[in-house]
Amino acid sequence: MNRTLVMIPMLALGLGLAACDERPAGPAEQAGRQLDRAGQSVRDAVDPPRGPVERAGRAIDRAVN
């Protein structure tokens, strides 16, 4: 019984990780990223970062996304 309770989450985790794959971004995804960057630029123009920590956070957001 205990083995079954342990194996079910492990199997679900394994299947979830197997579903993640890295493939090249298509044209729609690239266009979406460009729109996101344009929106961030507008936000920075309207509401500029107020300190070095906020600037660093926004730079990290851009690098990750």
Side-chain angles (χ1 to χ4, degrees):
M1 180 76 175
N2 283 341
R3 284 182 94 182
T4 304
L5 292 176
V6 171
M7 291 301 290
I8 290 173
M10 296 297 284
L11 181 62
L13 179 65
L15 289 174
L17 291 176
C20 296
D21 64 341
E22 289 292 324
R23 56 182 173 206
E29 189 169 347
Q30 290 175 351
R33 286 183 183 165
Q34 289 176 346
L35 284 172
D36 288 343
R37 288 187 189 121
Q40 288 175 353
S41 296
V42 168
R43 184 180 84 180
D44 286 345
V46 172
D47 182 27
R50 295 191 176 117
V53 175
E54 192 170 347
R55 274 193 293 273
R58 289 187 185 183
I60 290 170
D61 285 344
R62 285 189 199 102
V64 173
N65 295 327

